[in-house]
Amino acid sequence: MAELTLLPEMGNTFSYIDEMGSEIYDELMKYYSDKRVLIINKDIDVTVIESYAIRIMRWNNEDKNIPVELRHPITILIHSCGGDLFSTLFLIDIIKQSKTPIRTVGMGLVASGAYYIYINGHDRIAFENTVFLQHDGTISIADSNSKVKDFIAFNDLMEERIKESILSRTKIDAEFYDKTFDKEYYFFADKGKDLGVVDKIIGQDIELVSIFE
């Protein structure tokens, strides 16, 4: 049976998860939660409130008497295709209001709503081959004609807020945004640095171990 002392070594631990079941996984998640590391590795939905928002609020409360520059940062590891825009906007609000610094780390694919969350991190880090996707999203509605029109009108307002967020948090300007808005605009981390989406690339600007310190 594997020793729990293996937990700090991610590479040694993940290979045991399927074999050992949920107990080792729960211990692993607790280990990283204790280090203020959150993991978004699924579609974004209403569970962001209990999975991420409550913990970010709790850690800010714990830090309320600590100067911001001395607080232990919160790290959000992100590998996600995106998801519910309402939940996305709420988590962005939480990140923006957090006095405790929040680092977002792009892993694998950071798409759609996950991309919007990522760019609002106070310090944006990515692996070299992290893929980002900026696009206009997908809407699926089954309702009366008038209600569909009402939702589309409101959706336009949400899209405008997303646009404002991207323009304020990156080097992307309105002309470039409008030109790529209705496309599936994919790019790697190096292009992300050029666009002001990524602050640091792991292996070039920062070492892997430092994001867990």
Side-chain angles (χ1 to χ4, degrees), residues 3-14 24 27-28 31-32 35 209 212:
E3 301 264 339
L4 290 182
T5 51
L6 288 173
L7 287 174
E9 302 293 332
M10 286 199 299
N12 290 340
T13 303
F14 282 121
I24 189 77
E27 290 288 341
L28 179 66
Y31 173 83
Y32 285 106
K35 286 184 168 288
V209 293
F212 295 108

Side-chain angles (χ1 to χ4, degrees), residues 181-203:
F181 172 69
D182 59 353
K183 302 181 185 299
E184 295 288 280
Y185 186 67
Y186 291 92
F187 53 92
F188 284 111
D190 55 351
K191 181 63 175 179
K193 281 191 75 173
D194 293 340
L195 294 171
V197 169
V198 176
D199 296 317
K200 302 182 186 76
I201 297 177
I202 296 168

Side-chain angles (χ1 to χ4, degrees), residues 39-49 51-52 77-85 87-88 91 109-115 117:
I39 302 172
I40 301 177
N41 61 345
K42 61 178 183 177
D43 289 348
I44 297 159
D45 57 25
V46 294
T47 62
V48 301
I49 295 175
S51 299
Y52 315 113
L77 309 180
I78 305 175
H79 171 76
S80 172
C81 295
D84 174 47
L85 189 53
S87 300
T88 294
L91 189 53
L109 176 65
V110 181
S112 194
Y115 167 73
I117 291 167

